[in-house]
Amino acid sequence: MARYSYGGQALIEGVLMRGRDAIAVALRHPDGRIVYASERLDTGAHGSRFAKLPFVRGLVVLYETLIIGTRWLVRSASVAASEEGIEIGRGAVAVMLGLTLLAGVGIFFLLPLFLASFATGGHATDAAGHDNGVFASLVEGLIRVALFLAYLLLIAQAPDVKRVFQYHGAEHMTIHALEAGDPLTTDRVRRYPTAHPRCGTEFLVVVVALSILAFSLVGRQPPVIMVLSRIVLIPVIASIGYELLKLGARYRANPVVRAVMYPGILVQKITTRQPTDDMIEVAIVSMERALTADGESIPADSAELDAEPMLVPGRAAPADPG
């Protein structure tokens, strides 16, 4: 069994698996074929000796998820639309990533602050008349939770997003099978749940919970300071959240830890769905390519599925460093 804790991400008609030093992607082409590609991670920030330090590694993973994950999400959309002659360029990827970051910070960090300030404008003091920043931060946190859940429930209604959530489930089930030492076959993978304790959804739940505590420590400040604190503290909260998520996954058998982390599992009931067998096949190919790229052994008796290297824009030949 692989020593590294593999993670992943659902794409448009595909799955990205993140290994120790490489990522692998498998997509279901519109013509029914499975195509795959690999990409090394042992350069840049990932290759630094500081990248594996606690509270730093979370930021590296977050960066890679935002940059590499978004790039492959857009590429997967291009492959899915290839029969229609649609191709998305690098400029579009950069614009999409920038708009996504701005929208995420604005909607989930700044908007709750403004709404909470309006809602508690005349009630943010205790019985003695002292400023009660904790109460305002609690209201802000509850608004953030409501917006987060409403967003997930809303996008989950779209048919295309439902398919992405099915691939999300296939990704988790395949990781469960690998961690259990099972062969990577459709039947074995099908036995496992769609929720996983290291899921990015659970990470977001932890970040939301930590933000309530962090912003309550900031308390009531001038508006500019309040806004800047929300932006500046995002990477701090994210790095702490990543360490808590890893710790929680390690001690998941503890009933207290399991109870504390359970809200993240509940939210995954929104962001994951039972996949079809052909979706599980895509996840298996992605995992097998990630293991190969990392120099790890594929579990014995795993499926040998037909798949072809993918032509990646900007590369002279199909990407397959494994």
Side-chain angles (χ1 to χ4, degrees), residues 66-67 70-71 74 88-104:
L66 287 173
I67 303 301
T70 300
R71 184 169 70 244
V74 174
I88 304 174
R90 291 185 177 181
V93 175
V95 171
M96 183 177 298
L97 178 58
L99 291 177
T100 300
L101 288 173
L102 288 175

Side-chain angles (χ1 to χ4, degrees), residues 231-252:
I231 297 174
V232 171
L233 286 177
I234 289 175
V236 177
I237 293 171
S239 64
I240 297 174
Y242 180 82
E243 298 301 325
L244 290 177
L245 195 66
K246 286 182 68 70
L247 192 65
R250 182 181 303 173
Y251 297 103
R252 201 65 173 211

Side-chain angles (χ1 to χ4, degrees), residues 7-247:
Q9 174 185 336
L11 303 173
I12 307 297
E13 297 299 328
V15 172
L16 178 155
M17 290 293 185
R18 183 183 186 279
R20 181 181 59 251
D21 294 316
I23 62 103
V25 171
L27 305 173
R28 180 71 68 176
H29 195 276
D31 63 12
R33 294 176 297 136
I34 298 178
V35 295
Y36 65 86
S38 301
E39 181 176 327
R40 301 300 300 177
L41 292 175
D42 46 5
T43 57
H46 188 96
S48 168
R49 61 179 179 177
F50 301 107
K52 293 180 174 58
L53 292 176
F55 303 105
V56 175
R57 57 191 175 188
L59 295 178
V60 173
V61 171
L62 181 60
Y63 167 80
E64 291 173 350
T65 301
L66 287 173
I67 303 301
I68 298 175
T70 300
R71 184 169 70 244
W72 278 105
L73 182 63
V74 174
R75 281 180 181 168
S76 69
S78 294
V79 171
S82 60
E83 288 191 340
E84 301 175 14
I86 299 174
E87 185 173 346
I88 304 174
R90 291 185 177 181
V93 175
V95 171
M96 183 177 298
L97 178 58
L99 291 177
T100 300
L101 288 173
L102 288 175
V105 173
I107 294 173
F108 297 114
F109 284 89
L110 301 185
L111 181 58
L113 170 63
F114 295 141
L115 293 178
S117 298
F118 175 78
T120 63
H123 307 281
T125 57
D126 58 23
H130 299 301
D131 180 67
N132 191 354
V134 175
F135 174 70
S137 296
L138 179 60
V139 173
E140 179 186 344
L142 293 175
I143 292 173
R144 185 172 293 112
V145 170
L147 287 172
F148 177 57
L149 293 177
Y151 168 76
L152 292 179
L153 289 169
L154 179 62
I155 65 171
Q157 305 309 308
D160 289 345
V161 175
K162 287 181 180 179
R163 288 189 63 82
V164 172
F165 286 174
Q166 285 180 283
Y167 277 105
H168 193 193
E171 170 224 322
H172 286 175
M173 295 162 74
T174 304
I175 293 172
H176 276 302
L178 177 73
E179 292 174 342
D182 278 353
L184 300 180
T185 65
T186 303
D187 289 340
R188 290 297 186 97
V189 170
R190 175 68 70 187
R191 300 178 182 182
Y192 292 94
T194 59
H196 194 282
R198 292 196 315 276
C199 174
T201 302
E202 191 156 328
F203 169 72
L204 292 176
V205 173
V206 172
V207 166
V208 168
L210 284 174
S211 70
I212 297 175
L213 174 61
F215 298 151
S216 68
L217 296 177
V218 174
R220 289 292 226 186
Q221 302 291 338
V224 173
I225 301 298
M226 296 280 280
V227 170
L228 288 177
S229 69
R230 270 54 181 175
I231 297 174
V232 171
L233 286 177
I234 289 175
V236 177
I237 293 171
S239 64
I240 297 174
Y242 180 82
E243 298 301 325
L244 290 177
L245 195 66
K246 286 182 68 70
L247 192 65

